[in-house]
Amino acid sequence: MTMAQVTYARGSRRTAHPERTTTGLARPTIAGMDTEVLRPRRIWLMLLVAVVAGAIMVAPYVLLDIRSSRLDVDGGWHYGLLVAHVFTAGVALVLGPLQFVPAIRARRRWHRRIGRTYLLAGVLPAALTAVPVALLSGRIITQVGLVIPAAGWLMTGSLAVRAIRRGDVTAHREWMTRNYALTFLAVTARILVPLMLLTGLATGVVAPAGAQAAATSLIPVGQVLGWVIDLAVAEVLIRRARRSRSASRPARAARGRAPARP
């Protein structure tokens, strides 16, 4: 019998305390898991947003009608690559939040299966198809908006795998956070484009009659701004988690030195 303890963040339903913990069979956990501050509600909200955004992203391409494409494409090959990119990016977008769910992370087998599917069926094909889609567009801003995050996708995913193989759970989690930040570009860009369009309409820069054309032209701009913003937010979260771990170490050490209660 072992002592099972999980610490939840403020706002969660339960908080485990060492003096109140009861004995029981501990669930299998990832090393260091019980010392992390977990916010399950935020993760489930992120999953809900990802599912809705993924459905919106995929919807114009379900019928494989090139006329419904949200990006200008040159022909069949270009459109086919775009469709492959959209569908595989949708897989990554939906599966990504599951990697941060505490109950799933505590079960190594499921965590690994979802992680491999996320990387091999989502990130890898989506990144590889993003490059030719961008290059065939002939527009420099589209090329920048897709090629750079595609390279970042592959790099952060590779570093996350290398970290977990050498047993560095913290580095793995940080690289996966950066990786999913790039995946979440699909959501951020779809928020930024309407905001920029509404700003243009409100200021008179965009005429109401040209709103549709303006929205299409703003998509690459939203993509560039999206991955810049997402990576910046990811770094803030990573640094905050590092400070939280550093602050909690003295308290854990003090509890470890405290004499046992009779």
Side-chain angles (χ1 to χ4, degrees):
M1 303 291 280
T2 58
M3 301 293 288
Q5 177 181 340
V6 177
T7 301
Y8 289 84
R10 183 178 300 173
S12 299
R13 292 183 179 179
R14 294 175 297 171
T15 301
H17 300 279
E19 67 274 12
R20 301 177 189 173
T21 305
T22 57
T23 59
L25 291 175
R27 294 179 178 178
T29 59
I30 300 173
M33 179 76 176
D34 56 344
T35 63
E36 292 297 315
V37 178
L38 307 177
R39 296 176 175 84
R41 291 180 182 176
R42 295 184 183 181
I43 296 171
W44 289 115
L45 176 61
M46 183 170 62
L47 176 61
L48 176 61
V49 172
V51 170
V52 173
I56 295 173
M57 177 176 67
V58 170
Y61 304 95
V62 171
L63 298 179
L64 302 180
D65 185 357
I66 195 171
R67 294 170 298 180
S68 300
S69 175
R70 298 186 72 244
L71 291 177
D72 295 330
V73 292
D74 296 331
W77 277 106
H78 194 183
Y79 180 71
L81 289 168
L82 175 61
V83 170
H85 168 72
V86 168
F87 277 89
T88 53
V91 171
L93 184 65
V94 173
L95 290 182
L98 298 178
Q99 288 295 88
F100 301 97
V101 175
I104 294 177
R105 282 169 51 190
R107 291 166 173 80
R108 294 188 180 186
R109 182 178 299 177
W110 281 104
H111 182 73
R112 288 172 181 168
R113 287 176 178 174
I114 295 173
R116 288 169 181 167
T117 305
Y118 167 79
L119 290 173
L120 297 178
V123 170
L124 181 61
L128 293 178
T129 52
V131 175
V133 166
L135 296 178
L136 288 171
S137 70
R139 299 179 61 186
I140 185 64
I141 192 168
T142 299
Q143 294 169 352
V144 171
L146 289 179
V147 172
I148 293 180
W153 240 353
L154 296 174
M155 182 187 72
T156 54
S158 175
L159 290 171
V161 172
R162 289 180 59 185
I164 199 61
R165 283 181 174 175
R166 65 174 183 265
D168 192 342
V169 176
T170 299
H172 170 74
R173 188 178 300 118
E174 291 179 353
W175 284 116
M176 286 301 290
T177 299
R178 296 183 182 102
N179 186 272
Y180 191 69
L182 292 170
T183 304
F184 209 70
L185 162 65
V187 176
T188 310
R190 281 163 176 78
I191 295 174
L192 291 174
V193 170
L195 289 178
M196 290 187 291
L197 180 61
L198 290 174
T199 301
L201 290 170
T203 58
V205 175
V206 177
Q212 183 63 43
T216 302
S217 65
L218 285 172
I219 290 176
V221 180
Q223 290 171 338
V224 174
L225 291 177
W227 60 258
V228 171
I229 293 172
D230 286 354
L231 285 178
V233 172
E235 289 303 317
V236 170
L237 295 176
I238 289 170
R239 292 176 184 274
R240 183 180 297 173
R242 288 175 181 173
R243 289 195 299 269
S244 177
R245 287 194 298 270
S246 298
S248 64
R249 286 191 189 112
R252 292 200 304 270
R255 287 199 298 268
R257 292 191 299 268
R261 294 187 178 185

